[in-house]
Amino acid sequence: MRVGIGYDSHRFADRRKLILGGVTIPHLQGLAGHSDADAVTHALTDAILGASGLGDIGTMFPPTDPQWRDANSIELLKQAYQRVVATGLNFVSADITVILERPKLTQYIDAMRDKLAAALVTGTSMVAVKAKTNEGMGWIGRGEGVAVIAVAVLQ
Ligand code: MG
């Protein structure tokens, strides 16, 4: 068994789509970033890369490389997982916590789990996604951005 942790944060910005866990969520703002800024998928990708000792998402898909501009992060997760599988490891499960003040994610959680699980060729029950606020504290509390923590288990 191998365990990995991933963390990501992105700043809210105007004229951007809000995409989390591969799901487009209606909101006044989206997240700034070189790719589609899907912080949930980025944190999970870092968790599986960490568990497998393959480095991190920034090294595998450098933001300085124009080919990753506006990249679909679910596709990056799939590519990263192919590299993981090539080392002889397989995905077992993940637990993800999304921290943001708004919008409420409740109605999108299961769709996010479906998308992430499909990218990892597993069932929805193996990917947990939880959302919470930061109780109004700090930069998350002021609605400046979102933070995500992900833990992944590989075998
Ligand atoms: Mg990111």
Side-chain angles (χ1 to χ4, degrees):
M1 286 287 197
R2 303 280 294 263
V3 175
I5 187 168
Y7 169 84
D8 198 26
S9 58
H10 281 263
R11 180 186 297 274
F12 278 112
D14 294 332
R15 296 180 295 280
R16 294 278 299 180
K17 278 188 191 172
L18 177 59
I19 299 172
L20 291 172
V23 178
T24 301
I25 296 166
H27 193 53
L28 289 173
Q29 290 184 306
L31 294 169
H34 186 73
S35 67
D36 63 8
D38 182 342
V40 170
T41 303
H42 293 176
L44 178 57
T45 303
D46 258 356
I48 66 165
L49 291 177
S52 57
L54 286 176
D56 61 50
I57 188 171
T59 307
M60 193 168 281
F61 310 106
T64 50
D65 186 334
Q67 73 172 302
W68 309 123
R69 176 175 288 282
D70 296 323
N72 176 336
S73 295
I74 291 287
E75 293 304 317
L76 302 186
L77 173 60
K78 288 179 183 172
Q79 285 187 42
Y81 186 51
Q82 283 177 7
R83 305 272 280 273
V84 170
V85 169
T87 72
L89 290 162
N90 284 288
F91 178 81
V92 176
S93 66
D95 187 14
I96 302 168
T97 296
V98 190
I99 311 156
L100 82 176
E101 220 62 26
R102 67 190 69 80
K104 290 290 175 215
L105 299 183
T106 315
Q107 64 181 304
Y108 306 104
I109 294 288
D110 283 343
M112 292 165 59
R113 296 173 67 205
D114 285 345
K115 285 261 187 178
L116 297 168
L120 297 168
V121 202
T122 190
T124 304
S125 67
M126 305 310 279
V127 180
V129 177
K130 312 184 300 298
K132 62 189 295 148
T133 73
N134 210 40
E135 297 285 340
M137 295 181 287
W139 60 269
I140 297 175
R142 290 190 295 273
E144 293 173 16
V146 52
V148 183
I149 301 163
V151 171
V153 176
L154 306 179
Q155 192 172 33

